[in-house]
Amino acid sequence: MAVDYAVIIIYLVGMLAVGWWGMRRAKSKSDFLVAGRRLGPAMYSGTMAAIVLGGASTIGGVGLGYQYGLSGAWLVFAIGFGLLALSLFFSARISRLKVYTVSQMLDLRYGGSSSVISGAVMWAYTLMLAVTSTIAYATIFDVIFGLDRTLAIMLGGGIVIAYSTLGGMWSITLTDMAQFVVKSVGVLLLLLPIAVWKAGGIDGMQKQLPDDYFAPMNIGVETVFTYVLIYSFGMLIGQDIWQRVFTARSDTVARNGGSVAGVYCLVYAVAGAVIGTSAKALFPKLDSPDAAFATIVGEALPVGVKGLVLAAALSAVMSTSSGALIACATVANNDIWKRLRRTPPEPAAADEAGGGGGHDEVRGNRVFILIMGLAVVVISIALNDVVEALTVAYNLLVGGLLVPILGGLVWKRGTANGALSAVAVGGTAVVAMMVWKGVLANEAIYYGLLASLLAYVVVSLAGKPTDPAVLAEWRARLAGRTSTGAEAEPDAADAAGAAGAEDAGGKPGSGAPAGV
């Protein structure tokens, strides 16, 4: 085990070192929150795959494979389908907006001030996503070091808080790329073939397991439909996902790089289900499906390889946790705190130059990451099971925000009142159905989405159309043209700064690598 311990410790120290290196490159708000909008296709694809494939996709995906066989891949399939849809149909338009949050997009599109309302919903979602990932450290560190639950959460959470606070999105991007490599090697190249071999190959598993384990819909049609509604649509509107789209240096990178990451998710889905099926053949009487990953790693892998695969599981959790943390802090600071204080936007020149107001912006966002990170650790220690809380957050996110966000992108007749009505009615319907049918009931998301859509269409058609000047501003931003609105000036300057950096031979002024 000494070799396995060494692998894990080297990995954790490496994450902190990358965080320190990233701090030297986060000199402006754009650098800190969206990596200067400079990521090329390779790094963009890797980091996007890292953020969407977390502990639920890795440990949970193997657990579903243990419980349902190959059809356990559907949860991660839904994530991959959502990422493909986002990349192919929406990412180019989202990237051109040059904003920092989903709520800022709503304000641009509808000409209202919905940031506080929509930001509160998005903040709850990202907070609980970070909490869920942080709690997963307890399981992994218990397997690795036998640590107490509280200490494990503090250790894992502390490392993520440290590198996220130091360098913001630059540090998170660099650590996510390292985590993507570790995850790919550990899960796809090592654990998958070894698990299948230990289980006697596909033929051996078919002899030991019921035929249902190899049926594509063994998990249930309704379950698959619910996964698509929650996770595929959730990929389209989550702040943690959009904030990665904002890091792409061009429309083409966002579209093609995201599509590559989506295909990778589909491969990862199959791998997790096959590993889980192998675990069922090898260890048919585990107490919990979620124990399948730790069991097959601990019992089937040789020394050294075991440490690398556990590092892969840890990297999956850390990538989701850090992405959710910076998204939570960005929303809390820019959509809630600044709106409540009515703080004006920083001058574009100061932000892009990395001096004056730029330093203030970086420092303010760094403080919010630290505060939100500490809150996540405290909540994670206090809660034993956040499945219901995460379900509430996802239901509110999709039921309340999906319609006004996608409606704003595809339907020009949608209005600010229609959007606010959709958030309020959809959110209320979701809560009412969860109270009536139970938090985990599928009906909550079904009726929440339907109510939100009806409210959006009816209220939008019943009221006055959106101001033509607002729509003109919106169309200009979607087309990638320079904005005329004062509110958007810092973001337009971000785009100009990124473009200038690329024109200068791919050497951004911040010192960060372009086109990697």
Side-chain angles (χ1 to χ4, degrees):
M1 282 297 291
V3 175
D4 297 322
Y5 290 159
V7 171
I8 299 296
I9 291 171
I10 290 171
Y11 168 77
L12 294 175
V13 172
M15 294 301 98
L16 291 174
V18 169
W20 181 263
W21 187 80
M23 180 180 67
R24 300 169 57 191
R25 282 146 181 80
K27 297 180 179 180
S28 70
K29 178 180 178 180
S30 176
D31 290 332
F32 194 81
L33 294 183
V34 291
R37 308 186 197 274
R38 294 185 178 100
L39 297 193
M43 184 168 281
Y44 179 85
S45 297
T47 57
M48 182 62 86
I51 180 66
V52 301
L53 296 174
S57 301
T58 304
I59 299 172
V62 171
L64 288 172
Y66 184 89
Q67 188 173 5
Y68 298 105
L70 299 185
S71 69
W74 276 108
L75 186 147
V76 185
F77 269 155
I79 292 173
F81 293 149
L83 185 53
L84 281 170
L86 174 71
S87 302
L88 292 173
F89 302 117
F90 300 107
S91 64
R93 281 179 282 180
I94 292 170
S95 179
R96 293 186 202 120
L97 293 176
K98 302 300 181 211
V99 295
Y100 293 110
T101 69
V102 175
S103 296
Q104 288 175 352
M105 167 264 169
L106 291 174
D107 280 355
L108 273 174
R109 168 59 181 83
Y110 296 111
S113 184
S114 62
S115 290
V116 174
I117 298 172
S118 57
V121 176
M122 192 65 75
W123 175 80
Y125 156 73
T126 53
L127 179 71
M128 293 315 303
L129 185 62
V131 166
T132 304
S133 301
T134 303
I135 287 178
Y137 296 134
T139 301
I140 297 174
F141 280 115
D142 178 58
V143 173
I144 298 172
F145 302 117
L147 292 180
D148 172 74
R149 178 181 182 276
T150 299
L151 183 59
I153 289 173
M154 292 175 65
L155 174 61
I159 292 171
V160 170
I161 292 170
Y163 72 69
S164 300
T165 302
L166 286 172
M169 187 59 84
W170 264 124
S171 291
I172 292 172
T173 296
L174 295 170
T175 53
D176 277 0
M177 196 62 198
Q179 289 159 357
F180 169 74
V181 173
V182 171
K183 189 188 310 183
S184 298
V185 173
V187 175
L188 299 183
L189 301 184
L190 293 176
L191 181 57
L192 175 61
I194 292 174
V196 172
W197 174 68
K198 288 277 188 178
I202 299 298
D203 290 340
M205 287 187 281
Q206 287 178 327
K207 292 176 182 178
Q208 298 178 65
L209 298 174
D211 292 341
D212 288 348
Y213 266 72
F214 301 91
M217 300 302 292
N218 184 42
I219 199 170
V221 174
E222 185 178 356
T223 299
V224 172
F225 183 62
T226 303
Y227 283 164
V228 170
L229 282 183
I230 294 178
Y231 297 108
S232 296
F233 286 132
M235 288 295 105
L236 300 181
I237 60 174
Q239 170 67 26
D240 51 326
I241 310 302
W242 277 41
Q243 201 155 341
R244 294 311 172 99
V245 175
F246 300 151
T247 65
R249 73 181 182 192
S250 69
D251 299 353
T252 302
V253 169
R255 182 175 57 254
N256 296 342
S259 298
V260 170
V263 172
Y264 179 89
C265 289
L266 302 183
V267 174
Y268 202 85
V270 175
V274 171
I275 292 168
T277 305
S278 302
K280 183 66 175 180
L282 290 169
F283 313 102
K285 296 183 179 180
L286 295 180
D287 293 335
S288 167
D290 287 338
F293 182 89
T295 301
I296 198 167
V297 169
E299 300 294 333
L301 299 184
V303 173
V305 174
K306 184 187 304 183
L308 185 57
V309 173
L310 287 174
L314 190 59
S315 70
V317 175
M318 294 181 87
S319 59
T320 300
S321 180
S322 59
L325 177 58
I326 193 171
C328 179
T330 302
V331 171
N333 186 19
N334 293 276
D335 291 339
I336 300 176
W337 178 247
K338 285 187 176 181
R339 293 289 176 152
L340 292 176
R341 294 186 63 199
R342 300 184 183 277
T343 303
E346 286 293 329
D351 180 35
E352 287 305 307
H359 280 310
D360 291 339
E361 283 287 329
V362 172
R363 183 163 51 246
N365 283 287
R366 186 173 280 139
V367 168
F368 265 85
I369 289 181
L370 179 60
I371 293 172
M372 291 297 106
L374 294 175
V376 165
V377 169
V378 170
I379 295 171
S380 300
I381 292 172
L383 295 180
N384 289 318
D385 184 359
V386 296
V387 172
E388 291 191 353
L390 186 62
T391 300
V392 171
Y394 260 108
N395 283 347
L396 287 173
L397 173 73
V398 177
L401 291 180
L402 178 69
V403 170
I405 291 172
L406 295 189
L409 289 170
V410 303
W411 192 41
K412 67 179 181 180
R413 187 60 179 82
T415 66
N417 287 335
L420 290 173
S421 298
V423 174
V425 173
T428 301
V430 164
V431 172
M433 292 304 298
M434 287 191 294
V435 171
W436 182 24
K437 296 288 188 178
V439 171
L440 300 179
N442 293 331
E443 289 87 349
I445 192 64
Y446 299 162
Y447 290 104
L449 272 175
L450 180 60
S452 181
L453 178 61
L454 288 174
Y456 181 70
V457 172
V458 171
V459 175
S460 293
L461 292 177
K464 294 181 179 179
T466 303
D467 187 338
V470 172
L471 288 178
E473 171 80 7
W474 169 254
R475 285 192 291 268
R477 294 293 285 270
L478 281 180
R481 296 193 296 271
T482 301
S483 172
T484 58
E487 181 77 18
E489 284 178 4
D491 303 315
D494 289 343
E502 292 180 44
D503 291 341
K507 298 180 181 179
S510 66
V516 291

